[in-house]
Amino acid sequence: MKKRFLSLMCASVMAVGLLAGCGGSSDSSSDESAATEESATASSEEEASADIKADADTSDGELITVGFAQVGHESDWRTASTKSAQDVFSEENGYELSFVDCDNDSAAQLEAVRSFIEQDLDYIIIDPIVSTGWDTVLTECEEAGIPVIVIDRTIDDSDKYVAWVGSNFKTEGLAAGEWLKAYAEEKGISEINAVVISGTTGASAQIGRSEGFQEIADREGWNILDEQTGDFTEDGGQEVMENYCKSYEGQFNVVVCQNDNEAFGAMTAMDNAGVSYGPNGDVVLISFDACTAGLEDVAAEKITADFECNPLAGPFVDEVIKTIESGGTPETEVYMVEHWFALSDAIVDFEIDGEAQEMTEVTDDVIEAQY
Ligand code: AHR
């Protein structure tokens, strides 16, 4: 089935190459183009959700075979991402899914992709653990005539894929920084001394969030005492925070965790060290992802603000595949729609590059609707 997609793939790759930034840097679009893409995505999200109900297998009654090389199972976000793909790529929807959990091991992820090539699957989906080291294996996919769709994190050293569906991580980091500036002003916090627990080093989610937050910190003259990786895990977050509580005792008033699971671990460490946090505590606790459990901790006045990373890419990938199946050219970049969450007392006005941001108040209904 895939051989007939070879010419389309070449055409799509050219289109990808022509798009500014696609397949380029982790900050894969300028902020302006991200804003444009994000608003464009809002309507396509509804369309994709509706389309999912139709069968993907529109041609000859055979199931479409899809391999998904998933990062691992390190976080609540990852669980939601896996579920989104498994829900969409079901036999009922015309697909046969080969799913590989790569356990945050880049070598295992390359091996998974090569096994998909050997199995001669119709499509390969990759959520790249790290953003580099991809060109050789993507060349092998291209030579085998298998279209690759990248989701969530970006690939920065190859453009040999037909589409990417994911988040603007730098915008997430900028949002956290701009929110903190406005929140600190409103609460009369005159000095920021922050510690950062970053995600997996070299993952575009880590690179973008670090760059975005650092940009605001540099502009505002904040003191970033330290940044160490917690690998996007609860255990990692706890371990790093235990070290920070010892090394910087009494010196920090902001903790930035690059995902909710790290924040859960950091909270355990701060509880054990007797450090208070959240809107009524001594430490402002910032998190990313805004999964259900993260928002529950916002509601419980533990996390001060949570910046969403939307994991529900499945329907958009389905849309890409259906477009290819029907002989069309898919969207080459799709940005997920994301929101910034807090309790009402921590909702403040802020802008990113001159664009006013809306915050979402965390309520029971909002938590209920989250993943
Ligand atoms: O790539 C997305 C990031 O990876 C999410 O923020 C995190 O929870 C996950 O592990």
Side-chain angles (χ1 to χ4, degrees):
M1 189 183 297
K2 68 183 180 305
K3 301 297 177 226
R4 67 192 158 90
F5 297 126
L6 188 56
S7 57
L8 173 136
M9 187 174 162
C10 294
S12 295
V13 167
M14 282 172 60
V16 169
L18 290 170
L19 269 179
C22 181
S25 68
S26 66
D27 177 18
S28 62
S29 63
S30 70
D31 294 327
E32 273 172 36
S33 72
T36 313
E37 291 283 350
E38 277 172 5
S39 53
T41 304
S43 56
S44 69
E45 183 170 29
E46 286 150 26
E47 285 162 22
S49 307
D51 283 353
I52 188 80
K53 291 181 180 65
D55 262 4
D57 183 19
T58 50
S59 53
D60 47 16
E62 280 176 43
L63 295 176
I64 294 173
T65 56
V66 173
F68 179 18
Q70 173 63 294
V71 168
H73 51 274
E74 71 283 3
S75 62
D76 288 25
W77 189 99
R78 192 61 56 197
T79 304
S81 161
T82 294
K83 184 174 183 312
S84 173
Q86 288 173 337
D87 286 351
V88 169
F89 299 110
S90 64
E91 289 197 12
E92 199 186 11
N93 288 331
Y95 290 103
E96 184 179 328
L97 177 65
S98 299
F99 175 84
V100 178
D101 174 335
C102 300
D103 201 16
N104 216 28
D105 178 340
S106 292
Q109 193 164 43
L110 292 177
E111 206 178 296
V113 173
R114 291 198 166 99
S115 83
F116 297 152
I117 297 172
E118 258 174 49
Q119 292 169 62
D120 205 22
L121 301 184
D122 296 322
Y123 294 89
I124 294 175
I125 303 169
I126 301 170
D127 188 331
I129 295 169
V130 291
S131 62
T132 54
W134 285 101
D135 199 52
T136 302
V137 77
L138 291 192
T139 302
E140 292 165 28
C141 294
E142 186 179 62
E143 284 167 0
I146 304 177
V148 171
I149 300 156
V150 179
I151 68 164
D152 172 35
R153 303 178 184 176
T154 53
I155 283 177
D156 294 347
D157 61 356
S158 178
D159 60 4
K160 298 186 176 78
Y161 50 87
V162 295
W164 166 83
V165 178
S167 303
N168 190 320
F169 301 111
K170 184 169 181 191
T171 296
E172 293 171 2
L174 288 170
E178 295 287 18
W179 169 83
L180 178 60
K181 174 184 182 291
Y183 180 77
E185 274 169 13
E186 187 155 312
K187 301 295 173 191
I189 301 168
S190 55
E191 207 181 298
I192 301 287
N193 293 298
V195 288
V196 178
I197 303 179
S198 55
T200 301
T201 306
S204 67
Q206 174 272 313
I207 296 167
R209 287 172 192 161
S210 293
E211 276 181 7
F213 188 78
Q214 188 69 48
E215 189 173 307
I216 308 304
D218 290 345
R219 189 191 70 199
E220 298 301 318
W222 295 340
N223 185 17
I224 307 279
L225 291 160
D226 211 336
E227 174 163 344
Q228 289 176 26
T229 181
D231 235 352
F232 285 129
T233 65
E234 182 164 348
D235 285 353
Q238 182 172 341
E239 195 181 320
V240 173
M241 196 67 227
E242 280 166 358
N243 293 335
Y244 285 163
C245 286
K246 284 185 203 134
S247 310
Y248 304 104
E249 189 182 349
Q251 295 176 49
F252 57 88
N253 61 351
V254 173
V255 174
V256 180
C257 297
Q258 287 190 350
N259 80 348
D260 285 340
N261 293 78
E262 289 180 343
F264 305 151
M267 286 189 271
T268 304
M270 286 192 278
D271 288 340
N272 292 340
V275 175
S276 68
Y277 49 86
N280 304 312
D282 293 334
V283 168
V284 176
L285 179 56
I286 295 173
S287 184
F288 293 86
D289 281 359
C291 288
T292 304
L295 293 189
E296 283 168 352
D297 281 341
V298 174
E301 301 186 316
K302 293 177 174 176
I303 293 174
T304 321
D306 206 340
F307 296 83
E308 187 181 30
C309 180
N310 185 337
L312 307 181
F316 301 100
V317 179
D318 174 60
E319 184 75 8
V320 168
I321 292 176
K322 282 208 192 100
T323 302
I324 296 173
E325 289 288 310
S326 60
T329 304
E331 289 285 326
T332 49
E333 276 189 321
V334 179
Y335 283 88
M336 303 299 290
V337 175
E338 299 179 333
H339 302 91
W340 323 133
F341 294 97
L343 287 177
S344 60
D345 192 50
I347 289 185
V348 289
D349 291 335
F350 68 95
E351 296 179 349
I352 299 176
D353 293 331
E355 195 180 321
Q357 303 292 302
E358 266 193 38
M359 292 192 75
T360 303
E361 183 183 350
V362 174
T363 62
D364 288 347
D365 288 348
V366 166
I367 295 172
E368 178 83 15
Q370 205 69 343
Y371 25 78

